[in-house]
Amino acid sequence: YSLLTKPFVGKKVSAKDIKREDIAGLALFSGAGCNVVALPGPDGALLVDGGLAVNSALLLKAVHGGLGTRRIDTLVNTHWHPEQTGLNEAVAKGSGTIIGHEVTRLYAGRKVRSPLFDGVIEPLPESARATKTTYDQVAFDFAGEAVQCGHLPGAHTGGDMYVYFPKRNVIVVGGPVGSDR
């Protein structure tokens, strides 16, 4: 393959690389490709982002072991990059709901060449794309707790979303904010 046609895979990690931390009663899992925020519920877990696909089995094991859950009920993709959408296929196979911005659903459905990645980002299967989308905002209850999601226009990919947990005063934004910016 040339650099332009080699599919993007990402860095594979080991189980010891995935760490769990408590943030205001939410679980933060790091090391699988991006920060993944989790909230357990009676029907499974709510996750914000899903790490890289190459690390999905290890991340699922860490999430289920750390939260005592058996499935992912809801996954919110803060944007369409592979570090955020790596669990989409597993969540879809487990009949979970995937929430994202409409731009994220569209990009996840096509081959993308990007200067940010070495190679091509392949489309996700249709079943692994967001099943619930918005152009603006969406709010729902999860495990008796309000969750608010909204568009961050012009932030990172054109389809970036924030996820806000008002009870915990925690906002998750994916790619637009980092420790270095």
Side-chain angles (χ1 to χ4, degrees):
Y1 290 106
S2 75
L3 289 178
L4 292 177
T5 59
K6 181 177 79 173
F8 175 83
V9 177
K11 181 183 174 198
K12 186 171 182 155
V13 299
S14 67
K16 68 178 176 45
D17 295 319
I18 300 176
K19 308 290 184 213
R20 179 178 184 238
E21 183 180 346
D22 181 65
I23 305 288
L26 298 168
L28 171 65
F29 294 89
S30 59
C34 75
N35 287 330
V36 176
V37 174
L39 175 65
D43 297 323
L46 162 69
L47 297 184
V48 180
D49 289 332
L52 291 163
V54 70
N55 300 320
S56 61
L58 291 173
L59 179 60
L60 282 174
K61 186 175 180 179
V63 167
H64 294 320
L67 301 179
T69 57
R70 299 181 82 143
R71 66 183 286 271
I72 307 303
D73 179 78
T74 306
L75 171 64
V76 180
N77 295 144
T78 59
H79 61 285
W80 59 266
H81 285 160
E83 303 94 280
Q84 278 65 39
T85 59
L87 273 184
N88 284 31
E89 286 190 65
V91 171
K93 287 178 185 171
S95 300
T97 299
I98 302 170
I99 299 172
H101 191 275
E102 182 63 18
V103 169
T104 295
R105 186 189 67 77
L106 291 171
Y107 267 90
R110 62 182 175 193
K111 187 182 287 193
V112 178
R113 287 184 172 85
S114 171
L116 300 175
F117 301 101
D118 180 19
V120 172
I121 300 167
E122 295 294 332
L124 294 174
E126 188 171 343
S127 64
R129 299 175 205 155
T131 53
K132 185 174 185 177
T133 65
T134 184
Y135 284 100
D136 187 27
Q137 297 179 353
V138 63
F140 57 95
D141 283 342
F142 187 85
E145 190 168 326
V147 180
Q148 301 168 2
C149 304
H151 184 218
L152 290 168
H156 183 59
T157 68
D160 287 87
M161 289 181 33
Y162 67 84
V163 182
Y164 179 51
F165 298 89
K167 176 181 172 182
R168 299 161 192 281
N169 196 29
V170 172
I171 190 166
V172 183
V173 294
V177 175
S179 62
D180 61 339
R181 55 183 156 62

